[in-house]
Amino acid sequence: MSISRDSSGTLRLAGVSLSEVTAVTGTPAYAYDLGAMAAGARSLKDAFDGRPHLVAYALKANTAGAVVRAFAAEGCGADVVSGAELLVALACGIAPDHVVYNGVAKLDGEIDQALSTGPRGIGAILIESVEEIPRIEARALAAGRVARVGVRLNPSLDLVGATHAHIATGHDRAKFGVPRADAARAVELVEASPRLELVGMTAHVGSHFTTAQPYVDSARVLFGLVQSLRTAGRARSLRFVDTGGGFGVDYRGGEGSEGASAVPQPADFVRAARAAQQEFGLDDLALYVEPGRCLVAPHGVLLARVIQTKVTATGRWLMIDAGMNDLLRPALYQAHHRIVALEGAVDPATAIPWRVVGPVCESSDDFGEHMLPREPPSQVAILDGGAYGFTMASEYNGRQLPVEAFLRDGRILGQTRRAAVASWVEERVRAGER
Ligand code: LLP
């Protein structure tokens, strides 16, 4: 945890006072601790005990260049889901060989881009349906290349209650992955094509699991399939198995009913997958994982200013200048993010419940109830905002995207610029002009 409060009550991230950050950036603003992100990647890599592996950072969690470069410097690869994410990964120093590309509906142009990157295309284009196979084959033929591909298996598990329904992917009704029943046929089609080379078998069961069990269950389905293919003399060109991302984080910071230690560490997920890989006799293959959230969520905060309070006979609201357009997770997944004052530790004896809401004209623009002083702070931090915060932000209600500040070792290394309101207005006014 890279956030702390110093003896004078000032909240610090990466050793930098967050009040100093907002003095520079204004609000709303995300701030990230790059050093803590890099350290997290290092300790995750250590969990492989020197065995062949790839930590393919899922860019969708946080695409900021400084963040991606920090992971590239630690030897991470990338999991991308669009041509644009692929360009960011490459520009930030991730080698084409270390990129895997997930996506149920890749455009022809995106497949072409993946195929033409580097001397041999990217590490693997991951196939999510039988129907996608001839499409990739045709693009490879047109490009005069052999596409390195993986088959993404849908492990068809019962995930009810395992995570939020919106982020569960490895079940029968999900659009993701090749269904278990079609997997052998998909492998057969790939192997029959001179334009495709099967290098990986993958699965991604969903996101934000707070126990390792669904992850291990999914890995075991995947490994069982690979084992039976090999027993039948198939999948000889395979070089890696990839058990996906989904390592949960403790958004309650130990305050919740589960307690801090209840959520396994990212390395625990890796060790559990490693153990299953060994058990299935697949130790000759590299193990890939695709974590996003766990590498960035705890090391980012969303900083906001309190605009005003509103106290009525029925409610007590604290209105801040960050809204659901800046951090969508509470509105979309009923996610809980802790909210604390930038200055002054909250005294539990005198704190009162405030319903913290943003300025957006939606009832779901609501960050939930938080214990804060009766005399509200002037600025607050929404914790664990490093993943799926900025990347899901929008300009809804004519709001500007939040800025981002990058911190490391007690310093603000840089920040993004806030877009001018005038340019948004001009663009909207011009829309449809002839
Ligand atoms: N690999 C694949 C194929 C994925 O679809 C995802 C996430 C990941 C890896 C990374 O999963 P992670 O390690 O971050 O859990 N917006 C939602 C999360 C959506 C996740 C989508 N796929 C949220 O804010 O909770």
Side-chain angles (χ1 to χ4, degrees), residues 58 60 79 102 152 167 204 207-208 245-247 290-293 329 333 388 392:
K60 61 173 80 68
D79 161 36
N102 278 285
R152 174 175 170 182
I167 53 177
H204 170 75
S207 198
H208 190 43
F247 314 161
E290 302 170 359
R293 183 191 318 269
R329 303 193 69 258
Y333 316 114
Y388 305 109
M392 295 178 80

Side-chain angles (χ1 to χ4, degrees), residues 77-297:
D79 161 36
V80 302
V81 291
S82 67
E85 282 191 358
L86 173 56
L87 291 176
V88 172
L90 298 171
C92 291
I94 292 176
D97 276 346
H98 293 163
V99 180
V100 295
Y101 192 144
N102 278 285
V104 294
K106 303 170 195 82
L107 301 170
D108 282 356
E110 291 176 322
I111 297 169
D112 291 348
Q113 190 186 334
L115 284 169
S116 62
T117 294
R120 300 178 58 206
I122 63 166
I125 301 175
L126 304 184
I127 289 167
E128 297 221 30
S129 60
V130 169
E131 290 84 345
E132 198 182 3
I133 297 170
R135 289 189 56 222
I136 298 176
E137 196 177 15
R139 301 320 304 167
L141 184 65
R145 288 201 159 183
V146 172
R148 289 185 284 176
V149 300
V151 171
R152 174 175 170 182
L153 172 73
N154 182 325
S156 308
L157 298 176
D158 177 2
L159 296 170
V160 175
T163 187
H164 194 282
H166 288 8
I167 53 177
T169 53
H171 60 82
D172 278 339
R173 290 163 316 286
K175 67 179 175 179
F176 302 99
V178 175
R180 228 158 138 169
D182 299 340
R185 186 160 63 97
V187 167
E188 200 174 307
L189 289 170
V190 168
E191 294 200 304
S193 169
R195 285 288 157 191
L196 305 176
E197 182 190 359
L198 183 73
V199 292
M201 290 293 296
T202 86
H204 170 75
V205 67
S207 198
H208 190 43
F209 289 99
T210 52
T211 74
Q213 198 58 52
Y215 194 74
V216 174
D217 291 346
S218 165
R220 294 182 72 88
V221 174
L222 176 71
F223 296 159
L225 171 68
V226 173
Q227 193 183 48
S228 67
L229 286 168
R230 288 178 136 192
T231 307
R234 313 257 307 278
R236 289 192 187 282
S237 53
L238 218 55
R239 283 196 282 279
F240 69 86
V241 278
D242 174 343
T243 45
F247 314 161
V249 303
D250 181 13
Y251 284 108
R252 299 222 167 235
E255 293 167 359
S257 49
E258 305 112 54
S261 58
V263 180
Q265 293 299 301
D268 297 330
F269 285 87
V270 166
R271 288 198 197 95
R274 277 268 307 123
Q277 182 189 7
Q278 255 172 331
E279 189 190 320
F280 281 81
L282 303 178
D283 249 4
D284 58 309
L285 300 173
L287 178 62
Y288 285 19
V289 292
E290 302 170 359
R293 183 191 318 269
C294 69
L295 291 176
V296 288

Side-chain angles (χ1 to χ4, degrees), residues 204-410:
H204 170 75
V205 67
S207 198
H208 190 43
F209 289 99
T210 52
T211 74
Q213 198 58 52
Y215 194 74
V216 174
D217 291 346
S218 165
R220 294 182 72 88
V221 174
L222 176 71
F223 296 159
L225 171 68
V226 173
Q227 193 183 48
S228 67
L229 286 168
R230 288 178 136 192
T231 307
R234 313 257 307 278
R236 289 192 187 282
S237 53
L238 218 55
R239 283 196 282 279
F240 69 86
V241 278
D242 174 343
T243 45
F247 314 161
V249 303
D250 181 13
Y251 284 108
R252 299 222 167 235
E255 293 167 359
S257 49
E258 305 112 54
S261 58
V263 180
Q265 293 299 301
D268 297 330
F269 285 87
V270 166
R271 288 198 197 95
R274 277 268 307 123
Q277 182 189 7
Q278 255 172 331
E279 189 190 320
F280 281 81
L282 303 178
D283 249 4
D284 58 309
L285 300 173
L287 178 62
Y288 285 19
V289 292
E290 302 170 359
R293 183 191 318 269
C294 69
L295 291 176
V296 288
H299 312 305
V301 292
L302 174 57
L303 305 171
R305 193 166 55 80
V306 172
I307 299 174
Q308 65 161 77
T309 59
K310 175 173 176 175
V311 179
T312 70
T314 55
R316 171 182 287 281
W317 291 275
L318 191 66
M319 291 157 170
I320 62 174
D321 70 349
M324 64 188 281
N325 73 296
D326 302 298
L327 180 64
L328 186 59
R329 303 193 69 258
L332 197 55
Y333 316 114
Q334 297 72 53
H336 175 84
H337 285 257
R338 288 168 293 156
I339 298 184
V340 297
L342 281 207
E343 295 291 340
V346 176
D347 175 0
T350 57
I352 57 166
W354 286 96
R355 189 138 209 118
V356 182
V357 297
V360 174
C361 294
E362 296 269 352
S363 298
S364 56
D365 185 28
D366 185 334
F367 296 108
E369 205 166 78
H370 298 269
M371 297 302 285
L372 289 163
R374 183 174 293 276
E375 191 54 48
S378 58
Q379 298 185 98
V380 295
I382 306 179
L383 303 187
D384 301 313
Y388 305 109
F390 184 88
T391 52
M392 295 178 80
S394 77
E395 297 176 318
Y396 186 40
N397 278 197
R399 291 172 52 76
Q400 274 48 63
L401 292 176
V403 297
E404 297 174 287
F406 303 93
L407 320 179
R408 192 160 195 159
D409 302 331

